[in-house]
Amino acid sequence: MSQNPGLSVSELTCERDERCLFRSLAFSLNSGEILQITGPNGSGKTTLMRVVAGLSLDFTGEVFWRGQPVADVRPEFHAALLYMGHLLGVKSTMTAEENLRWAMGLHRNDLSREEIWSALEKVKLAGFEDIPCYQLSAGQNRRVALARLFLARQPLWILDEPFTAIDKQGVAELEQLLVDHAKSGGMVMMTTHHEMSLNYDGFHQLVLGGGV
């Protein structure tokens, strides 16, 4: 793997409600790697993801992107980032196709209908392209959000519990998609309660609340 990490953190510390979630945390994520953040409930997994993604400033320490503090290269960092959190960002009054076109609009203005429909087909939503998302189930809305991964060109994916509300086949397909993204030079940082079964040398885990 590359010795020059795309993403790295140094001396990262976060306290909440007078309780330390993590202290002096340091790790790096290189091109071609998948990093799973694990730990018990309340150990700060989601908080760490939000801190790294720039959605929370409640921390001390430093986050670096390609060797430079994110604070100094924020536009470049955000252009390289695809973040998916607990809130899916799926607008219920919009169709599945409209949601994808809207969600990817900041990064891709060249999306064709064929590409969007192909992405929806890959997440088993063929035939639901023009259905308002309030008519879809929770699992189907989750798959609308996951379809972004088939359209994304950003190298860094930060995914908080991406396996929620998808079936066994969908889990296997998503695992393969993460590996394919890493093999193509991408980076994945993720949390999940799902027991990962990746047979991939670039897969690593970082444990919060119990050491690294």
Side-chain angles (χ1 to χ4, degrees):
M1 298 300 175
S2 169
Q3 298 303 307
N4 297 310
L7 176 72
S8 60
V9 308
S10 175
E11 294 296 319
L12 210 60
T13 297
C14 180
E15 296 184 2
R16 177 165 294 174
D17 299 326
E18 300 183 354
R19 183 172 69 91
C20 184
L21 294 178
F22 44 83
R23 184 184 302 279
S24 299
L25 192 64
F27 64 86
S28 62
L29 181 62
N30 300 294
S31 295
E33 292 184 333
I34 300 170
L35 178 65
Q36 180 188 4
I37 310 300
T38 69
N41 290 339
S43 60
K45 297 186 296 295
T46 291
T47 298
L48 175 60
M49 305 285 276
R50 290 179 56 81
V51 164
V52 172
L55 298 175
S56 173
L57 300 178
D58 186 21
F59 70 95
T60 60
E62 196 73 78
V63 180
F64 298 91
W65 175 244
R66 303 201 187 282
Q68 299 184 68
V70 163
D72 295 341
V73 291
R74 200 167 298 279
E76 294 88 340
F77 176 68
H78 286 161
L81 170 67
L82 175 67
Y83 174 82
M84 286 180 52
H86 285 279
L87 298 177
L88 299 179
V90 173
K91 295 184 177 294
S92 62
T93 57
M94 295 169 60
T95 67
E97 177 183 351
E98 289 169 341
N99 264 285
L100 289 179
R101 192 174 296 282
W102 169 77
M104 304 307 297
L106 288 177
H107 301 281
R108 293 197 57 188
N109 56 15
D110 60 341
L111 273 177
S112 67
R113 165 169 276 195
E114 289 73 19
E115 286 180 279
I116 294 175
W117 283 34
S118 176
L120 290 169
E121 181 179 9
K122 289 174 182 174
V123 294
K124 305 297 188 293
L125 287 178
F128 292 87
E129 300 89 353
D130 295 325
I131 304 297
C133 287
Y134 69 81
Q135 296 184 17
L136 303 180
S137 68
Q140 288 172 323
N141 273 284
R142 166 66 61 171
R143 284 185 276 163
V144 171
L146 289 174
R148 300 171 195 164
L149 301 180
F150 291 95
L151 300 170
R153 291 178 177 170
Q154 299 97 313
L156 174 61
W157 294 358
I158 297 182
L159 312 175
D160 198 358
E161 295 291 344
F163 294 95
T164 301
I166 59 175
D167 59 23
K168 186 175 181 179
Q169 181 180 352
V171 165
E173 291 170 347
L174 179 53
E175 286 184 343
Q176 187 58 53
L177 177 61
L178 298 181
V179 171
D180 290 344
H181 179 64
K183 285 183 175 179
S184 69
M187 295 161 271
V188 180
M189 179 180 173
M190 61 180 295
T191 66
T192 181
H193 287 93
H194 164 70
E195 187 69 29
M196 300 293 289
S197 58
L198 298 185
N199 182 20
Y200 178 59
D201 289 341
F203 174 61
H204 309 285
Q205 292 181 319
L206 184 152
V207 182
L208 298 183
V212 176

